[in-house]
Amino acid sequence: MNFRKLSIAVLFLTTSGTVLYAQETKKDTAKSEKKIEGVVIQGNSSKKTETAVLVEQKKAIIQKQAVSAEEISRKGISNVEQGLTKVTGITTVEGRGLFVRGLEERYNYLLINGLGSPSNNPFQKIIALKQFPTDVVGKLNIYKTFNSNLYGDFAGATFDIETLTIDKPFTKIEFGVGVNTLSTFRNNFKRAENAGGIEGYLGFNSQDRRLPSEIRNARPDNYKFSADQSLNSFKDSWNVDNVKSLPNTTIGFTTAQKVKMGESGNLGILFSLNQGTKYEYKDGANSQFRSQGQNSFIDNMNFLNRKQYNYETESSVLLGLGYKNKGTNINLNAIYLQNTNNIIEDNFGYKDNQVQNKNSGFFRTNQLDISRFLDLQLTASQKINERNQVKAGGSYVINNYSQPDRKIIEGNRTDPSTGALLSDGNIQMRYGGNNLIRQYLDVDSRFYGSAFAEYQLSLGEKGERKDYPIQIAVGYNGFSDFRKTSYRFIFGRTSNASLAPFVVNVDTPQNVFDTSIRNGDLFYQEGSDISQFYSSFYQIINGGYTNINLKPNDSWDILLGARYENDMTLIRYSEQSADKKTNLEKNNNFFLPSLAIKKSLNSKNNLRFSFSKTVTRPILIETMPITYINPDNVNIVGNPDIKNSENYNFDLKWEYFPTSKEMFAVNLFAKRINNAIERSLTASGNATGSTITFFNAKKADLLGVELEGILNLNRISESLKNFTLGANATIMYSDVERSQEQLNMEEPVWFKNTGEKLRKRGLQGASPYTINADLKYEIKNRNNLSQTFSLVYNVSGSKIYATGGTGTDNYYEKPFHQIDFVYQGQLTKNWNVKFAVQNILDSKYKILLGDKNYLPLNLENGNNTLTDYYRGVTFNFTVGYTF
């Protein structure tokens, strides 16, 4: 009998976003033959769709949220930081990273493809995620409840960036341009003289700002530079250029290709290159306050207006190789990130209560921040059989941060002869004191390595279930992080004490300084603190864990976890005037249990409960044994004695999934944080300026609720079928019990006589509410090409930026309302465009001294602003071509 094969492709759209194809084999004549000889079902699940991510969230035993590649594209998200702010309870705070459930960035941790990742900035806990372009991101995973295979450093969230997996070959070129109403096309935009051109664009200008070779590898000994050395050993100029600020630009190239390897294997190759520039101008207050003592008042320590010019470049390169063959997966990734920020900051007014300089005081900072981060990763997994699987991975990171040749120049804007104000750009100055300073900070990685290994075993019989009833995982993960810090100062000195004050143009002082050096009126001399110029930080974390996942039936999912983590930390530094270094050793062992229970009430409803114990480790600057000096005399002092926090986390959540694209959730959470780490801002011990430092609170209690919903508006009217509304909110209460160290710092001395007590307060950095919302309108033309319009809003409530002291209230970061509009259009099969308007409301960013001080206020102009500025409205247009 002759047969021929008739293939019929039947398309099924499942709730998981899985596309199923049925291939049916029939006999010659469908009418005469009834027997179907065979049906083969093939599944091709795309994990990049918003629907697929929602289903993964529904199925996961722990509370896991994600931002898909599809959502990243739809919302015009260009970097990882922007993407994470679209998740419930996550906001970004100016220059201080991501806050989760109102908790400071120190309570978060970052993984890249499951491997630990160090920060490339000592002032932040994790990498500045705006440096991580989304073109190479397949998915952003956010874990809000702890599981024992995660690092124990957990209280807010653990972020895991999964780099792009190759579904099909493509090559994409993208170019973007952006203008800002405040910063773009600005005349006299100030930029360091060597920041322009190709060297500044690529960050090579940092080579000219390195510590001079005469002292680079030597201990500080007040080395005096000769006239010739003072002229030639410093390659970077004091001059700045006045330019017209250009539009911000981005350019990206990404290609992903597949190569067949044998009968069933394939090799994926991914290469991505991205480069961007940004001009940003800020203008606003930069003040400080001080308490004058009992029966007195609070007045200004500093009263300054700050103008800041930022020229920033970002570069990223990713090379990925992925081999897949049946149960074998091997991935090799190399990720390089570089960020440079050339900053010119001018301050006008007075500091250190020198009110006579209110109209004439001036100082400038010419600063370059540069970070370089290279992460080499190898991960692999092998499915031995249906019941056994192993996976492992390792990474090596080269990680450097520096502020080379941070130049500070100070003067007065009055004419030394007449006392009248000088014309713009001119200042009166003299050599000596702190009027010319060159500051060098380097935080370099000696070694960073991260690794994990896990064995998974399935027990019992599936029967008709989807999964085995018992799944056991045993594993290890850990990292070693060794860093060294160099912090040095070079001062401009004079041997001519009778040298009269002189006038110089602050934008072009280099020739004047060079002439003074030749005349013997100026020389450079190192003045580094011998006790603080060099320190070392060593940390080794080793963690072993086991998970037991019990699934007695399809409606119950129970995950029991236990983690043992050993934290070995050594800080080597020198006390003031000490001959030998101090070795501060901390060796802690933590047992970290976790429990997660999910009950599927029916196909659309889940009920979840979780409990865990975790730890929180401080940001590097919070524990570094240095005093980081700023020209406004607001210095940052690390606390090497600071302790890890120990956290107890509880969550109870109800989820409802009415359709595959909709969901509603209510999550109640509570945390007890013992030894909570907090930032404090208080008067300096040397009677001038202020100090930002860090203390452990005795404990902090947090209670909160998260509300989340994704709703298709066709529920209201069929005419709204193309609209989708997503909204989430977090409402939280926090209460702190201060430690004795904090009481000593915060309580005014007269409380001992009056019997007064400090008011209760919440946790520093904890926001009482966070709201995110987006309204999406999507249409498709007859060629199935989509156009999406999104309106996105977010805000977080007033939170403590830093605790106050000696009579002042706390300092509060006020709500910043932001609305963005994003259009994403697929014009043809190859061409796509994005148009975005960011920060439409152009709210002012503000940090204010609170109004519950223990003394009356006597402030300049009655202004209690610590700092404020506008960011302007930004318009971005991006065009891409894919082939």
Side-chain angles (χ1 to χ4, degrees), residues 382-389 455-458 468:
Q382 176 65 54
K383 187 174 183 180
I384 301 170
N385 53 43
E386 285 295 321
R387 293 179 179 270
N388 296 270
Q389 183 173 337
Y455 168 68
Q456 298 174 358
L457 170 65
S458 298
Y468 287 100

Side-chain angles (χ1 to χ4, degrees), residues 25-214:
T25 306
K26 293 186 177 179
K27 293 188 178 181
D28 246 356
T29 310
K31 291 181 180 179
S32 61
E33 299 291 340
K34 295 181 180 178
K35 183 179 179 181
I36 300 176
E37 292 193 348
V39 177
V40 179
I41 304 293
Q42 294 179 323
N44 180 20
S45 176
S46 174
K47 296 181 179 180
K48 299 178 184 179
T49 67
E50 292 181 76
T51 304
V53 164
L54 202 59
V55 170
E56 184 179 351
Q57 177 180 331
K58 178 181 177 182
K59 292 181 176 180
I61 174 62
I62 60 174
Q63 285 192 36
K64 175 184 175 183
Q65 292 177 267
V67 182
S68 66
E70 179 182 85
E71 184 177 2
I72 286 169
S73 175
R74 172 175 71 78
K75 292 183 178 177
I77 297 167
S78 60
N79 62 66
V80 167
E81 183 176 271
Q82 288 180 3
L84 290 170
T85 59
K86 312 308 176 188
V87 175
T88 306
I90 299 181
T91 54
T92 180
V93 176
E94 295 286 287
R96 301 209 316 283
L98 293 162
F99 282 46
V100 179
R101 291 177 171 175
L103 293 176
E104 287 255 59
E105 190 199 42
R106 74 169 69 86
Y107 294 99
N108 302 327
Y109 194 74
L110 175 68
L111 302 172
I112 302 177
N113 293 317
L115 287 159
S117 173
S119 172
N120 59 350
N121 186 329
F123 300 94
Q124 293 184 293
K125 180 68 171 285
I126 61 179
I127 293 173
L129 294 177
K130 66 186 182 69
Q131 298 179 28
F132 217 111
T134 50
D135 278 349
V136 300
V137 174
K139 191 169 59 173
L140 305 177
N141 296 307
I142 304 100
Y143 298 91
K144 287 191 181 176
T145 58
F146 177 70
N147 181 35
S148 61
N149 64 351
L150 299 174
Y151 283 96
D153 195 346
F154 181 102
T158 290
F159 308 124
D160 187 7
I161 302 173
E162 291 185 19
T163 50
L164 190 65
T165 54
I166 303 169
D167 294 330
K168 60 181 180 180
F170 73 93
T171 299
K172 178 182 180 182
I173 299 173
E174 197 168 63
F175 176 77
V177 62
V179 296
N180 179 275
T181 55
L182 187 63
S183 302
T184 310
F185 302 125
R186 189 176 192 88
N187 291 320
N188 297 318
F189 187 96
K190 299 187 185 300
R191 190 176 65 188
E193 192 175 59
N194 65 348
I198 191 66
E199 287 195 353
Y201 184 71
L202 297 177
F204 296 154
N205 58 324
S206 62
Q207 292 297 308
D208 289 339
R209 301 181 71 137
R210 291 185 300 166
L211 195 67
S213 59
E214 289 87 351

Side-chain angles (χ1 to χ4, degrees), residues 811-829:
Y811 298 87
Y812 292 89
E813 198 162 22
K814 305 307 288 184
F816 184 90
H817 298 267
Q818 180 161 336
I819 294 179
D820 301 334
F821 168 79
V822 181
Y823 164 75
Q824 161 87 12
Q826 192 70 38
L827 303 183
T828 69
K829 181 181 178 181

Side-chain angles (χ1 to χ4, degrees), residues 469-520:
I470 303 175
Q471 297 175 13
I472 300 173
V474 179
Y476 160 87
N477 52 24
F479 67 82
S480 297
D481 187 3
F482 305 158
R483 305 196 204 193
K484 61 180 180 179
T485 300
S486 173
Y487 193 40
R488 303 180 76 154
F489 293 84
I490 296 173
F491 293 86
R493 303 296 192 198
T494 183
S495 55
N496 185 358
S498 62
L499 186 67
F502 57 93
V503 174
V504 65
N505 187 300
V506 72
D507 290 340
T508 56
Q510 188 65 52
N511 286 338
V512 174
F513 296 164
D514 288 349
T515 299
S516 297
I517 291 171
R518 294 187 185 98
N519 293 339

